[in-house]
């Protein structure tokens, strides 16, 4: 793709500045902030404008997700025509996703056991009636749901897993065509992929404004009061996420993928900032693809295969969060109601947290909904998940950033394994 001239507006530093400014303005407008009661018209007007800007940006991103996944995966699979190479890349990608997610879960497991935020916690469970968005999820539906019964329906609903299954199958069928038809279609899908990436680039120019609006509305509506009772829990999740993001994953980036972690983070910073502001790996996917390729130097073939898969099934941050959150609740029930948090049950958490993170959609609060699988497996009431809803947003922002960070390192690693050399970031603001 033709190189773009990038001014200060396109720099991640600008978006980071917008993020900080959005947070300051948002907290100032918060009901417990300084401006709150004084100029109500101003507060509601500002919030309405921020909502408008944020909604438009989110819709622009979401508009790109289904076509990008379809075109990028079909083009990716078709370009690796050799089934053995494809199988190898698929297996390696999957192995990376599983290993890093497992490391994340184990980090969470160790910290939640060491800190024990649930032991003796004061949680007024019965005061949180209501239903979770999306309801409880069963494992069986999750497996059957991998296969679309109607691809147009799946595309319309943005059901990522069935879209991925369909795209992989379509790409594979394409490689089985006679050479003439195969060439035409491969070029068509490749050109389509570039077209949507170009469109993503245009949407991306709105990033600073969008980040400002997204963060402002979150900060303005944050229920700061609720954090008191859950502070230790929030801190445990945050600390575990930070350890995974700044120690474990950078070691993988350095040793396995051969990229310098800080430089790599600088290259894909726009994707990290988008993940943080939107709490959605799927909505961030257009930005992740664009930045990994254009700024990070990951090969087109690798990025278009690895990243759509990653945005859907690789969620280190979510896996870690599931583990800490459910053990937190189990600790609470252990100290208040004689529940036994045995070693077997901790093992169940590790396995189901991994599965739940694979099954979680890349949308806000998906991790919280998937927690119902683990709570059911542990014989714990689902009510606990509702309680955690109150503090989910900031944790969601953090875990989504970790999810995308891990995807990008996976792309760098697969690039190295495929091309024999690490990707060379072309632009890095670090
Ligand atoms: N919001 C997360 C993501 O999109 C999923 C989750 O809720 O953990 O990656």
């Amino acid at each position: 793709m033709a190189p773009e001239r990038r001014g200060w507006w396109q720099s991640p530093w600008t978006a980071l500045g917008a993020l900080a400014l959005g947070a300051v303005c948002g907290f100032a407008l918060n009901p417990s902030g300084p401006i709150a009661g004084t100029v109500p018209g101003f507060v509601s007007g500002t919030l309405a404008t921020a909502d408008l800007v944020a909604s438009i940006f989110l819709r622009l991103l979401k508009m790109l997700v289904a076509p990008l996944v379809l075109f990028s995966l079909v083009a990716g699979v078709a370009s690796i025509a050799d089934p053995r190479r494809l199988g190898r890349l698929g297996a390696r990608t999957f192995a990376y996703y599983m290993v890093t997610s497992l490391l994340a879960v184990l980090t969470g497991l160790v910290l939640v056991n060491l800190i024990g935020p649930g032991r003796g916690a004061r949680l007024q469970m019965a005061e949180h009636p209501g239903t979770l968005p999306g309801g409880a999820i069963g494992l069986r539906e999750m497996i059957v749901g991998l296969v679309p019964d109607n691809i147009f329906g799946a595309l319309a609903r943005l059901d990522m897993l069935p879209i991925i299954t369909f795209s992989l199958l379509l790409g594979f069928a394409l490689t089985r065509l006679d050479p003439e038809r195969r060439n035409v279609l491969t070029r068509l899908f490749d050109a389509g992929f570039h077209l949507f990436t170009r469109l993503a680039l245009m949407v991306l120019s709105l990033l600073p404004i969008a980040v400002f609006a997204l963060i402002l509305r979150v900060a303005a509506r944050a229920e700061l009061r609720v954090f008191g009772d859950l502070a230790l829990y929030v801190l445990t999740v945050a600390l575990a996420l930070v350890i995974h993001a700044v120690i474990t994953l950078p070691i993988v980036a350095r040793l396995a993928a051969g990229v310098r972690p800080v430089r790599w983070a600088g290259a894909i910073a726009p994707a990290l900032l988008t993940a943080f502001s939107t709490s959605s790996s799927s909505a961030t996917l257009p930005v992740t693809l664009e930045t990994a390729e254009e700024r990070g130097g990951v090969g087109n073939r690798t990025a278009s295969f690895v990243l759509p898969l990653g945005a859907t099934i690789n969620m280190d941050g979510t896996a870690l969060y599931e583990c800490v959150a459910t053990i937190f609740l189990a600790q609470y029930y252990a100290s208040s109601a004689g529940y036994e948090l045995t070693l077997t049950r901790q093992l169940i958490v590790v396995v189901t947290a991994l599965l739940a993170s694979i099954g979680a959609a890349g949308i806000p609060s998906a991790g919280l909904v998937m927690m119902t699988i683990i709570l059911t497996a542990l014989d714990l009431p689902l009510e606990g998940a509702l309680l955690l809803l109150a503090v989910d947003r900031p944790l969601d922002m953090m875990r989504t950033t970790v999810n995308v960070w891990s995807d990008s390192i996976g792309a760098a690693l697969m690039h190295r394994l495929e091309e024999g050399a690490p990707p060379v970031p072309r632009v890095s603001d670090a």
Side-chain angles (χ1 to χ4, degrees):
M1 198 174 286
E4 289 274 311
R5 258 176 22 91
R6 291 163 202 264
W8 63 272
W9 185 251
Q10 303 284 47
S11 157
W13 289 111
T14 309
L16 198 62
L19 189 146
L21 196 64
V24 172
C25 297
F27 283 124
L29 298 180
N30 193 286
S32 41
I35 304 187
T38 53
V39 266
F42 172 72
V43 174
S44 57
T46 312
L47 274 182
T49 314
D51 279 339
L52 185 79
V53 173
S55 307
I56 291 178
F57 183 69
L58 282 175
R59 290 176 77 100
L60 282 171
L61 284 180
K62 282 194 193 148
M63 142 190 121
L64 291 167
V65 173
L68 253 178
V69 172
L70 182 70
F71 278 97
S72 73
L73 274 180
V74 176
V77 172
S79 69
I80 315 177
D82 176 358
R84 269 201 323 228
R85 269 195 67 197
L86 185 63
R88 204 180 51 206
L89 177 62
R92 283 172 169 171
T93 306
F94 196 69
Y96 167 84
Y97 289 163
M98 290 305 97
V99 169
T100 51
S101 297
L102 185 64
L103 288 174
V105 174
L106 294 179
T107 308
L109 188 71
V110 170
L111 274 190
V112 74
N113 276 296
L114 281 181
I115 301 177
R119 286 179 221 131
R122 286 181 299 118
L123 310 177
Q124 288 109 27
M125 285 298 188
E127 284 186 8
H128 293 269
T131 48
L132 275 174
I137 310 276
L139 214 50
R140 196 179 156 274
E141 293 97 87
M142 217 173 93
I143 295 170
V144 175
L146 288 177
V147 184
D149 55 353
N150 176 349
I151 183 58
F152 295 104
L155 286 168
R157 286 189 305 271
L158 276 191
D159 276 348
M160 297 289 275
L161 283 173
I163 298 176
I164 286 180
T165 310
F166 176 79
S167 310
L168 292 176
L169 290 174
L170 193 68
F172 192 66
L174 200 161
T175 63
R176 313 273 98 184
L177 285 177
D178 60 87
E180 200 191 319
R181 292 193 170 88
R182 191 174 69 214
N183 281 341
V184 174
L185 284 171
T186 305
R187 286 175 49 201
L188 177 83
F189 275 98
D190 188 58
F193 174 49
H194 279 90
L195 174 67
F196 285 106
T197 313
R198 167 62 68 189
L199 203 53
L201 200 64
M202 288 158 57
V203 173
L204 206 61
S205 61
L206 299 175
L207 194 64
I209 301 178
V211 163
F212 175 79
L214 283 158
I215 297 296
L216 184 139
R217 65 178 195 163
V218 171
R221 298 205 175 97
E223 288 187 46
L224 304 176
R225 220 173 14 86
V226 188
F227 281 83
D229 290 346
L230 294 170
L232 200 54
Y233 156 73
V234 172
L235 278 179
T236 309
V237 177
L239 185 64
L241 284 173
V242 168
I243 290 177
H244 189 66
V246 307
I247 299 177
T248 313
L249 286 175
I251 291 177
V252 176
R254 189 79 190 98
L255 299 184
V259 290
R260 296 220 315 270
V262 176
R263 195 168 151 74
W264 186 249
I268 59 130
L272 299 179
L273 283 164
T274 311
F276 187 77
S277 339
T278 61
S279 295
S280 168
S281 310
S282 295
T284 308
L285 180 61
V287 189
T288 319
L289 275 167
E290 208 279 329
T291 45
E293 270 189 48
E294 295 298 306
R295 295 170 56 96
V298 175
N300 179 251
R301 259 192 334 210
T302 311
S304 58
F305 181 82
V306 174
L307 291 173
L309 275 178
T312 311
I313 63 173
N314 182 42
M315 299 200 179
D316 293 13
T318 303
L320 181 157
Y321 160 81
E322 305 275 344
C323 171
V324 176
T326 44
I327 296 210
F328 164 73
L329 291 172
Q331 285 174 344
Y332 164 75
Y333 286 113
S335 61
S336 67
Y339 177 80
E340 276 184 67
L341 181 53
T342 54
L343 206 61
T344 321
R345 283 190 162 138
Q346 302 233 15
L347 208 66
I348 293 178
V349 172
V350 171
V351 176
T352 43
L354 263 184
L355 288 176
S357 74
I358 296 173
I363 54 172
S365 290
L368 189 76
V369 177
M370 295 306 282
M371 229 168 83
T372 52
I373 296 182
I374 312 176
L375 291 176
T376 311
L378 289 180
D379 297 321
L380 283 176
L382 302 187
E383 190 194 359
L386 287 170
L387 177 85
L388 301 185
L389 193 59
V391 290
D392 191 53
R393 185 67 191 205
L395 297 179
D396 199 2
M397 294 159 84
M398 287 189 258
R399 63 183 190 252
T400 309
T401 312
V402 175
N403 292 345
V404 171
W405 176 223
S406 170
D407 294 342
S408 78
I409 293 173
L413 172 60
M414 294 310 140
H415 176 99
R416 184 187 198 177
L417 294 176
E418 285 294 294
E419 313 292 334
V424 182
R426 293 183 201 132
V427 192
S428 174
D429 297 272

